[in-house]
Amino acid sequence: MPQTDMNDSAHSAKHFDPEANRKHEPEPVSTATVHTVGQDSPWEVGAHMIAALDNAFILGYPYLIMAFLGWGAGSTLFILFGFLSFYCNCCLCRLHGYGGHRNIRFRDLAGNVFGKFGYYLTFTLQWLNLLCANVGLVVLCGQSLKGVFELYDPEKYFSLAEWIVVAGAVIGLFAISVPNLHLLRVWSSLSCLLVLIFSIIAIAISCHDGRNNYNAETMETGPKDYGVVGTSADKAFNALGSLGTMAFAYNTVILPEIQATVRAPAARNMITKTLPMMYLIGTLPFLLISFIGYWAYGNGVGYNILYSNSGPTWAIALAYVAAAAQIVVSFHIYACPIYETMDTAWGRKQEGTWSIFNFSERFITRVIYLVLTTFVAALLPFFGDFIALTGSLSALPLDFVLVLAMTLKVYGKSSPMWLNIINGTLCVLLFFVTCVSSISSVRYIVVDSVNYHVFANL
């Protein structure tokens, strides 16, 4: 942690000139790293963002968001969160050069703006986000593999926990083979193709089922219900928890780490190229799946839309395979900030990425991390709960509240009063949403832990 950066944060704030920062992109970095900085094009970085945004979690959004909120609130909040997320990410990208250097980690930026408290708070919340997201991805990868197997051999029994172990092993092999985000850029592009495959299949089958009034619950033709079901308490908690899921849908908590890989001028490249690519292209799959999936099946949609799709079998199997393969790449993107911290702390930069020592360090640390996440995934295989928890406890406070607070701190004196009022109001409102949504998200896990035993075969 750079002590000089945090001790000089107040001094830096006085001399931070937004116009000068936009004209000259500083090349020095906030702290040392063994990973590659500033060599990727904006489009390659955009592929990273889409791969992180459109992982197989999106197959659960018709149930986790739309079924809990209904047409009116669900569609309205999806659009509002999208615009708000784009605005906050533009603010975050603009802060990349704060302090006279490239802030290559979210915690470095927060530490430069708010001192040690900001550094350690961001460090804690970001790692909580990454851990929860990775656990949920391992669960979903195991469920996808299990889904393929059961389509063709439903009589032979393998538990979800066993498939989660297989998923963790595959993800671990990939993690050891790909050292950093810079070397992941080709895989991220392939990941976008995988997203396209399972999205098109899910959307096409949903359109067919919706036109034929297929009821996913009865597996027959019949009417669909679009009302929000449950007791008043269930409706309230589900609606609040879905706000966390909504925040996770636009989760960009690793944006500074991804921005660190883009070529200078980093802020301009991100705001004018990468972010528009991410929001114009990257949001289409999960918005279409959410709206069309809910239209096709109503509140009877499964927590994974592929469970509701009527067929054909080969198409659903292909979607499962594409989803599982895409998760391997998406997991790596979310884990890279953790890998970078371990590699920088224990690796030897002077020996090169593929030296025996550095390869051994990656092998040991990443295997330990994968064993941990795989064990938790098998223990509590409730991927929908982890989505809501991740969004509530970390995506909302980091992607929205903290970014708005940093913008007020750095740009407040130079910004018009009306903009400061808007930013301040949003900051307070979203902090309140964070609190109530977190309570509901924790309740999800508590309720499911009571209803299901550990290592449940869901």
Side-chain angles (χ1 to χ4, degrees):
M1 182 179 63
Q3 297 294 334
T4 54
D5 291 341
M6 277 176 264
N7 292 336
D8 294 342
S9 60
H11 175 77
S12 299
K14 293 179 182 179
H15 295 83
F16 184 59
D17 182 358
E19 294 300 320
N21 185 60
R22 186 161 37 245
K23 294 175 183 176
H24 175 66
E25 193 70 27
E27 287 302 317
V29 297
S30 51
T31 53
T33 179
V34 298
H35 285 198
T36 304
V37 174
Q39 293 191 16
D40 294 345
S41 73
W43 315 117
E44 290 171 333
V45 175
H48 290 327
M49 298 297 296
I50 293 175
L53 194 70
D54 285 322
N55 52 60
F57 278 140
I58 68 177
L59 297 171
Y61 293 167
Y63 172 75
L64 295 170
I65 295 178
M66 295 302 297
F68 287 170
L69 292 174
W71 274 123
S75 55
T76 300
L77 287 174
F78 251 129
I79 303 303
L80 288 178
F81 262 87
F83 281 108
L84 183 58
S85 174
F86 178 75
Y87 171 69
C88 288
N89 280 331
C90 286
C91 292
L92 183 57
C93 288
R94 194 181 176 203
L95 290 165
H96 184 69
Y98 177 74
H101 49 242
R102 297 182 67 152
N103 292 279
I104 61 173
R105 304 179 189 92
F106 207 149
R107 61 182 183 271
D108 292 347
L109 175 59
N112 280 327
V113 176
F114 289 119
K116 292 182 179 180
F117 174 78
Y119 181 95
Y120 287 112
L121 177 65
T122 304
F123 178 87
T124 302
L125 291 178
Q126 186 188 45
W127 276 45
L128 175 65
N129 181 294
L130 302 177
L131 284 167
C132 288
N134 283 158
V135 168
L137 285 169
V138 176
V139 173
L140 192 52
C141 189
Q143 288 180 337
S144 298
L145 295 175
K146 182 172 181 280
V148 176
F149 192 81
E150 290 182 342
L151 283 173
Y152 291 100
D153 195 357
E155 300 299 325
K156 197 167 183 178
Y157 178 81
F158 285 95
S159 69
L160 176 58
E162 291 172 311
W163 285 113
I164 286 175
V165 171
V166 173
V170 174
I171 293 170
L173 290 174
F174 186 81
I176 295 167
S177 305
V178 182
N180 53 52
L181 273 175
H182 175 64
L183 296 178
L184 190 69
R185 60 194 188 279
V186 174
W187 293 101
S188 292
S189 300
L190 176 62
S191 171
C192 294
L193 176 61
L194 295 171
V195 171
L196 193 63
I197 291 172
F198 70 71
S199 297
I200 288 176
I201 291 173
I203 291 169
I205 297 178
S206 296
C207 287
H208 175 270
D209 291 347
R211 290 182 60 188
N212 290 281
N213 291 319
Y214 175 77
N215 189 306
E217 293 183 299
T218 64
M219 301 182 69
E220 297 176 353
T221 301
K224 296 180 286 285
D225 183 8
Y226 295 103
V228 180
V229 298
T231 65
S232 297
D234 288 338
K235 290 179 181 180
F237 279 113
N238 288 340
L240 293 174
S242 67
L243 296 178
T245 306
M246 188 82 71
F248 182 85
Y250 294 99
N251 184 21
T252 52
V253 73
I254 54 175
L255 180 62
E257 285 80 3
I258 292 179
Q259 186 175 3
T261 69
V262 75
R263 298 168 187 158
R268 185 183 301 121
N269 280 334
M270 291 292 290
I271 293 173
T272 62
K273 297 175 183 177
T274 301
L275 288 183
M277 173 184 174
M278 169 187 164
Y279 283 94
L280 292 176
I281 299 175
T283 59
L284 281 178
F286 72 73
L287 288 175
L288 289 175
I289 287 176
S290 298
F291 295 150
I292 294 176
Y294 185 60
W295 163 77
Y297 307 109
N299 57 30
V301 64
Y303 66 88
N304 183 326
I305 194 173
L306 296 179
Y307 296 165
S308 300
N309 288 161
S310 63
T313 299
W314 68 265
I316 297 178
L318 178 59
Y320 275 133
V321 171
Q326 196 278 337
I327 286 171
V328 175
V329 179
S330 187
F331 182 102
H332 199 72
I333 293 174
Y334 278 106
C336 262
I338 296 176
Y339 295 160
E340 186 273 333
T341 299
M342 295 188 293
D343 294 347
T344 299
W346 296 311
R348 295 176 181 174
K349 186 175 183 180
Q350 68 275 13
E351 292 189 10
T353 301
W354 295 105
S355 70
I356 295 177
F357 182 89
N358 286 336
F359 179 82
S360 300
E361 176 271 324
R362 285 198 306 274
F363 181 88
I364 294 171
T365 55
R366 296 185 187 190
V367 165
I368 291 174
Y369 179 72
L370 262 299
V371 169
L372 172 64
T373 53
T374 302
F375 174 76
V376 176
L379 184 71
L380 300 170
F382 318 123
F383 88 89
D385 297 350
F386 281 105
I387 293 178
L389 184 68
T390 304
S392 300
L393 293 181
S394 54
L396 272 169
L398 285 182
D399 289 343
F400 299 95
V401 179
L402 178 63
V403 170
L404 290 169
M406 288 193 298
T407 300
L408 284 169
K409 175 75 179 294
V410 175
Y411 293 106
K413 292 183 180 179
S414 60
S415 299
M417 180 63 69
W418 63 268
L419 183 58
N420 288 334
I421 292 174
I422 291 175
N423 287 339
T425 302
L426 287 173
C427 190
V428 173
L429 178 62
L430 288 167
F431 178 76
F432 173 75
V433 172
T434 297
C435 294
V436 296
S437 179
S438 297
I439 295 172
S440 180
S441 300
V442 171
R443 177 181 176 269
Y444 283 165
I445 293 182
V446 172
V447 170
D448 281 341
S449 298
V450 171
N451 293 336
Y452 301 97
H453 58 79
V454 294
F455 302 104
N457 186 39
L458 302 179

